[in-house]
Amino acid sequence: MKKVGIIVGNGKLPLYFLNEAEAKGIEVYLIGLFDTIEEKIKQHKNYRSFNIGEIGEITKYLLLNDIREVVMLGKVEKSILFQEMKLDYFGERLMEKLPDRKDETLLFGVISFLRLNKIKVLPQNHLLGEMMFREKCYTKNIPSQEDYKTIKIGVEAAKALSEVDAGQTVVCKDSSVVALEGIEGTDKTIERAGKYAGEDCIIIKMARPQQDMRVDIPAVGIETIKRAVQIKAKGIVAEANRMLFLDIKECVELAEKNNIFIIGVKI
């Protein structure tokens, strides 16, 4: 039987992959990075918990189980990543070699260490190709010409934001940027936009300019739609072909019920 490992962060994305892999007869070994990951993951027979700084122990676990391919899935929370870092010997050596402490830099350091031990990190959309955003409007509600002017400004702002690795989400209204994502994450950014700008905001989420598909592919799911409903947003925009769209049917139904459009745009 084919085997694959999942290095698990927060959110439901690892569950989607787990279900797809098991449906295809692939045996899955799960490595949890945080206490806050999904309970169903923790209950799996092949689940083990490690700190992301225990790279030596993680690699040992994979090799002892003859796993040569892994996928890194789920949110790596910036706000707790370094607060709760526990380093083993190899983790300490790795941190000494990193040029900075950005979350992306750390993840690529982990990928390099795994590659040195002949473990390949697969793209995050492996087995999940049908969940990638397409260039289309998913809802019956469609943006107006004025909305497209606002979207264009938001796309440019989101691209600039992602270039400095500060975040990937911006919220706009009436051709103005009203909120930029920081360390607090997407959900809090949306809440902040609603607080200061009120109704009819447009939420725009873009991938990094040089998005590596092995690491942190941006995603839109039902929680994003719920946040949009809470602030009475007008629409949600995502980058086509470079982002995941989770729970598509459920998201579209909730969006249409609340007069919110969802579109994928190609940059």
Side-chain angles (χ1 to χ4, degrees), residues 6-21:
I6 309 179
I7 298 178
V8 182
N10 288 325
K12 294 187 179 296
L13 185 55
L15 280 175
Y16 293 104
F17 185 91
L18 173 61
N19 292 335
E20 287 293 322

Side-chain angles (χ1 to χ4, degrees), residues 43-91:
Q43 294 166 9
H44 194 277
K45 64 178 182 177
N46 293 333
Y47 172 77
R48 298 291 184 278
S49 177
F50 294 95
N51 188 280
I52 195 171
E54 296 175 316
I55 183 60
E57 293 300 313
I58 291 172
T59 303
K60 179 181 176 181
Y61 172 72
L62 293 170
L63 293 176
L64 286 175
N65 286 284
D66 194 28
I67 298 167
R68 298 294 174 172
E69 293 182 333
V70 300
V71 184
M72 304 174 75
L73 294 170
K75 295 179 182 178
V76 177
E77 304 290 354
K78 294 180 182 181
S79 59
I80 62 176
L81 180 61
F82 293 107
Q83 293 175 12
E84 300 181 5
M85 181 80 73
K86 297 176 183 177
L87 300 172
D88 61 13
Y89 173 82
F90 291 102

Side-chain angles (χ1 to χ4, degrees), residues 33-34 51-53 76-87 91 94-96 98-110 165 183:
L33 299 181
F34 304 107
N51 188 280
I52 195 171
V76 177
E77 304 290 354
K78 294 180 182 181
S79 59
I80 62 176
L81 180 61
F82 293 107
Q83 293 175 12
E84 300 181 5
M85 181 80 73
K86 297 176 183 177
L87 300 172
L94 177 64
M95 292 300 292
E96 290 172 359
L98 297 181
D100 57 57
R101 289 204 164 197
K102 293 180 180 179
D103 58 330
E104 186 179 31
T105 303
L106 175 58
L107 292 175
F108 280 118
V110 171
D165 197 30
I183 195 171

Side-chain angles (χ1 to χ4, degrees), residues 134-136 155 206 237-241 263-267:
R134 308 300 181 198
E135 186 181 14
K136 59 182 282 189
V155 167
M206 296 285 111
V237 180
E239 184 170 357
N241 303 325
I263 64 170
V265 296
K266 194 171 182 179
I267 306 306

Side-chain angles (χ1 to χ4, degrees), residues 68-256:
R68 298 294 174 172
E69 293 182 333
V70 300
V71 184
M72 304 174 75
L73 294 170
K75 295 179 182 178
V76 177
E77 304 290 354
K78 294 180 182 181
S79 59
I80 62 176
L81 180 61
F82 293 107
Q83 293 175 12
E84 300 181 5
M85 181 80 73
K86 297 176 183 177
L87 300 172
D88 61 13
Y89 173 82
F90 291 102
E92 289 178 354
R93 303 290 82 76
L94 177 64
M95 292 300 292
E96 290 172 359
K97 295 179 182 297
L98 297 181
D100 57 57
R101 289 204 164 197
K102 293 180 180 179
D103 58 330
E104 186 179 31
T105 303
L106 175 58
L107 292 175
F108 280 118
V110 171
I111 288 173
S112 296
F113 187 87
L114 292 172
R115 186 173 64 240
L116 287 172
N117 286 277
K118 303 189 185 317
I119 298 171
K120 181 180 180 180
V121 178
L122 301 171
Q124 292 187 324
N125 61 341
H126 181 70
L127 304 183
L128 301 178
E130 293 300 314
M131 296 183 184
M132 295 297 287
F133 250 101
R134 308 300 181 198
E135 186 181 14
K136 59 182 282 189
C137 182
Y138 286 86
T139 53
K140 296 175 183 176
N141 317 302
I142 61 174
S144 67
Q145 289 303 311
E146 288 301 314
D147 291 334
Y148 275 113
K149 293 178 183 178
T150 299
I151 289 168
K152 182 179 179 181
I153 291 169
V155 167
E156 292 173 356
K159 283 295 185 183
L161 186 68
S162 64
E163 283 178 2
V164 295
D165 197 30
Q168 294 166 286
T169 301
V170 302
V171 184
C172 297
K173 181 178 178 179
D174 298 333
S175 298
S176 298
V177 175
V178 297
L180 300 170
E181 181 182 2
I183 195 171
E184 79 276 29
T186 300
D187 291 348
K188 294 293 184 182
T189 303
I190 295 171
E191 290 175 13
R192 178 159 44 87
K195 178 180 178 181
Y196 291 111
E199 301 178 11
D200 293 333
C201 290
I202 298 176
I203 300 157
I204 299 160
K205 191 164 187 174
M206 296 285 111
R208 293 182 178 89
Q210 302 299 325
Q211 182 73 49
D212 189 309
M213 300 301 278
R214 299 171 299 177
V215 178
D216 195 23
I217 296 180
V220 170
I222 194 62
E223 292 303 318
T224 307
I225 311 302
K226 288 178 180 178
R227 294 293 185 279
V229 170
Q230 286 175 356
I231 69 165
K232 298 182 179 179
K234 180 181 285 188
I236 296 172
V237 180
E239 184 170 357
N241 303 325
R242 303 185 71 206
M243 293 184 60
L244 289 163
F245 191 4
L246 310 178
D247 300 311
I248 296 176
K249 184 174 182 293
E250 188 178 356
C251 286
V252 170
E253 288 177 353
L254 182 60
E256 289 184 339

